[in-house]
Every structure is written in C-alpha cells, then in structure tokens.
Amino acid sequence: MNTAKKSTSKTDTTTNILDRSTLGINLRILSGLLAAGMFICIKAASDEVPLGEVVFFRSFFAILPLIIFLWLRKEFPSGLATKRPLDHLLRASLGTLAMFCAFAALARLNVAEAILIAQLSPLLTAIAAILLLSERLTIFRIGGIALGFSGVVTLVWPELGGDGENENRLFGVIFGLVSAVLSSLALIMVRRLNQTESPGAIALYFVLASMVGGLLTLPWGWVMPEGMTLLYLISAGVFGGFAHIAMTLSFRYAEASRLAPFEYLALFWPLLADLFIFHLSISATFLISAPLVLAGAALASAERKKRSKIKRI
C-alpha cells in the first residue's frame, strides 16, 4: 500500500514538473511575440528619436503593466522588498546596457539582421548556464540550439553576404554582438534572482534602471515626438513591459538552457508582420529556414516527452 502511495506521489511530482516546464516554454514564446512588436515599433521611431529617448520611453511606459502585474499578484508594494539589492543592481545594469546596444544596432540594421545577431544570446546563455548555474547541456538542447541557429543563418544569409559594407553597418553589427553578450549575462542573473525574488520586482527594478539610464542622455538633446512616432514609442513600452513579465516568469518555470531553442521562434514574428500587415512577400530562404527553426523547438520538446516516458516506466 505504501509502495502504491509513493509511486503515485512520484508520478504527481513528475507531472507537476513537466507542466511547469511547458508553462515556462509557452511564456518564453509569448515573450518573443511581444518583444517583436516592441522591436518593430522602435525601428519605426528610430529615425526620428535619439537613442536615449527611445530607451526612456520604452522603460517609462513599461512601468504600468509591471505595476498591474505586481498588484494582481498582491506583491505591490510588499513584493519590491529585497535582501539582494546588489544582485538587482548588477542585473539591471547589464540589462540596461544591453538595451542601449540592441536599440543602437536596430537603428543601423534592418530588423531581421538585428534579431539574427540577438539570437546569439540563447547560445551564450546556454553556455553560461552550464558554467555558472551547473545546468545540464543535453544532446536534445545542443541539437535544438544548432538547428535553430542554422535556420536563422539561412534566413538572413543573402542579406549578410551583400557588398558595400559601410561604417554605420559595421557599428550596428558590433553593437548587436555586445548586446547579445550582455543579454546572456543578464538572463543568467534573472535565473539566479528568481530563486528568491519576485519576478515582478526583478522586472520593475530593471525598468527603473533603464529609465534612469535613458534620462541621463537628456543633455545630449531630445525631440518632441508627435503623431505616429509618439504612438510607436508608447507601444514599444507597453509591448516591452509585458514581454519582460513573460520572459521573467518563464525562467522561474524552466531552466535557461532548456528555453534557449525557443528563442529562435521570435525571429518569425517580424516576418509575419511583413506578410499580413505590410503585405510583403516571403522569400524563398524563409521557406527553407522555417522547418529548421521549428525542428529545433521540436527536438527540445522531445527531451520532455522522453523523460516522461522513462519515469512512467
């Protein structure tokens, strides 16, 4: 009788872990969708608005979604209390610098190129998770990351192989690479903070830090945004706020290296916007890369299914 109870308890625990992992993956995919909306809005406004002002607007209008999130979870303002202020400061600083570099890259490159370089972040995150968090890097995760990244490279290879590289584009690539490194370190800090801190507090402290960082650029000259430009800036903040909530929660429910392959799905959202909103045709390279990216996500999911079967046996 006791053996049966223990078996049932183990099964329930396994199911709970699998459910949490699935929730984490779904939240990471949602985060990518919302982040794509943010990037599209920022790209649309980047020609009219200085970098620091873009960072400020993105951060300022992300505060309201975060406060609502904390209030719904009954964590405002009590959830903002922390015993790890220095860890929050480090995470927020890394994230703010990564945001500045990402937006600088986006202003100099097209959206596909900027997001391609950003996809180096999950590769670096997975490696850092092994070194810093002692997470496992299984064959499923290695394969998922490799397939996803090969799909991303296939998609934008014709654009990256073009002639006439200029200095502005070169700086865009450099900013993108620096952003990817900083983002991977920031995500590892999120994973560590999630062990003891409120997800909403992690997100809110980051937004406040990036807002201050943007505000510090005011002496270098801002402009008064109007019309659609103002709408783009506000939308970027709202999208970014909800994207950050979803991303932060995803790392509470799943390992960083487990989530890495699903980062690549975020690349498709801007392309789908081109198809259904801007009525642009999809290139042949998209049709080749899509199966590779989806296969990477499927391979990562196969790990969960295999574990489930083994534990049931």
Side-chain angles (χ1 to χ4, degrees), residues 83-160:
K83 296 180 180 179
R84 302 170 64 182
L86 293 180
D87 285 346
H88 277 289
L89 178 62
L90 177 59
R91 180 268 178 275
S93 299
L94 289 170
T96 299
L97 291 173
M99 182 186 295
F100 268 92
C101 291
F103 292 176
L106 191 60
R108 291 164 173 80
L109 304 171
N110 61 42
V111 177
E113 290 172 331
I115 295 181
L116 165 68
I117 298 173
Q119 298 313 309
L120 293 174
S121 179
L123 287 172
L124 298 173
T125 300
I127 295 171
I130 304 303
L131 299 176
L132 302 177
L133 301 181
S134 300
E135 292 186 4
R136 296 172 299 102
L137 189 60
T138 66
I139 188 64
F140 292 95
R141 298 175 188 181
I142 294 173
I145 293 171
L147 282 171
F149 189 70
S150 65
V152 170
V153 172
T154 300
L155 181 64
V156 297
W157 185 259
E159 296 181 53
L160 297 180

Side-chain angles (χ1 to χ4, degrees), residues 25-198:
I25 290 170
N26 290 335
L27 285 168
R28 197 66 188 93
I29 293 173
L30 175 61
S31 173
L33 175 59
L34 294 168
M38 178 192 71
F39 277 115
I40 291 171
C41 291
I42 289 171
K43 180 64 176 177
S46 61
D47 291 337
E48 305 291 334
V49 182
L51 174 61
E53 187 175 356
V54 171
V55 171
F56 175 81
F57 269 88
R58 183 266 182 234
S59 303
F60 181 81
F61 285 99
I63 291 177
L64 182 58
L66 291 175
I67 291 178
I68 293 174
F69 172 70
L70 287 169
W71 181 74
L72 291 175
R73 290 171 59 91
K74 299 181 179 179
E75 296 177 355
F76 186 82
S78 60
L80 300 181
T82 178
K83 296 180 180 179
R84 302 170 64 182
L86 293 180
D87 285 346
H88 277 289
L89 178 62
L90 177 59
R91 180 268 178 275
S93 299
L94 289 170
T96 299
L97 291 173
M99 182 186 295
F100 268 92
C101 291
F103 292 176
L106 191 60
R108 291 164 173 80
L109 304 171
N110 61 42
V111 177
E113 290 172 331
I115 295 181
L116 165 68
I117 298 173
Q119 298 313 309
L120 293 174
S121 179
L123 287 172
L124 298 173
T125 300
I127 295 171
I130 304 303
L131 299 176
L132 302 177
L133 301 181
S134 300
E135 292 186 4
R136 296 172 299 102
L137 189 60
T138 66
I139 188 64
F140 292 95
R141 298 175 188 181
I142 294 173
I145 293 171
L147 282 171
F149 189 70
S150 65
V152 170
V153 172
T154 300
L155 181 64
V156 297
W157 185 259
E159 296 181 53
L160 297 180
D163 297 327
E165 288 258 336
N166 54 38
E167 185 177 351
N168 191 53
R169 177 181 169 81
L170 177 61
F171 275 111
V173 173
I174 292 172
F175 280 127
L177 291 173
V178 173
S179 177
V181 173
L182 293 172
S183 294
S184 66
L185 295 175
L187 289 175
I188 290 299
M189 287 300 302
V190 169
R191 180 67 175 166
R192 292 180 61 181
L193 284 167
N194 258 321
Q195 296 172 2
T196 59
E197 305 292 293
S198 161

Side-chain angles (χ1 to χ4, degrees), residues 17 20-21 23-24 27 73 191 249-255:
I17 292 173
R20 288 169 62 88
S21 181
L23 176 59
L27 285 168
R73 290 171 59 91
R191 180 67 175 166
L249 281 174
S250 72
F251 280 90
R252 167 158 289 194
Y253 297 120
E255 294 179 343

